[in-house]
Amino acid sequence: MSSLKERVESALDSVRPYLEADGGNVNVVEITEDGTVKLELLGACGTCPMSTMTFKAGLEEAILKAVPEIKKVEALNLTPAE
């Protein structure tokens, strides 16, 4: 069975083409023992006013659906919507 990080990366790979099309990407910074994934939004995603929606509807949903062991997903540099 593949590692937890590999499974999280695989879930993110399903969303990455959409991020890359807009000049962004995402990086897994840490997966804690309590099942929290910490992400860093890169490129355009780090400053986009829509990043909150992208995070919730795209990244968080993809990870929680594909990797049930993960309990929580956090973005370390999320830009708040104005």
Side-chain angles (χ1 to χ4, degrees):
M1 182 169 217
S2 54
S3 76
L4 197 58
K5 182 167 184 183
E6 286 173 339
R7 291 169 52 220
V8 168
E9 289 285 356
S10 179
L12 291 173
D13 284 345
S14 69
V15 182
R16 275 197 172 101
Y18 304 104
L19 302 177
E20 291 169 349
D22 289 329
N25 208 334
V26 63
N27 180 45
V28 177
V29 175
E30 178 183 9
I31 300 175
T32 66
E33 288 189 24
D34 68 349
T36 299
V37 175
K38 297 185 180 182
L39 302 175
E40 178 184 21
L41 300 174
L42 304 172
C45 291
T47 58
C48 175
M50 297 300 288
S51 60
T52 301
M53 190 172 81
T54 300
F55 171 74
K56 282 289 190 193
L59 305 174
E60 182 179 54
E61 185 176 316
I63 291 170
L64 294 176
K65 190 175 187 181
V67 191
E69 299 92 322
I70 298 301
K71 306 296 181 227
K72 185 176 173 185
V73 181
E74 297 177 357
L76 301 178
N77 62 332
L78 196 60
T79 302
E82 294 183 22

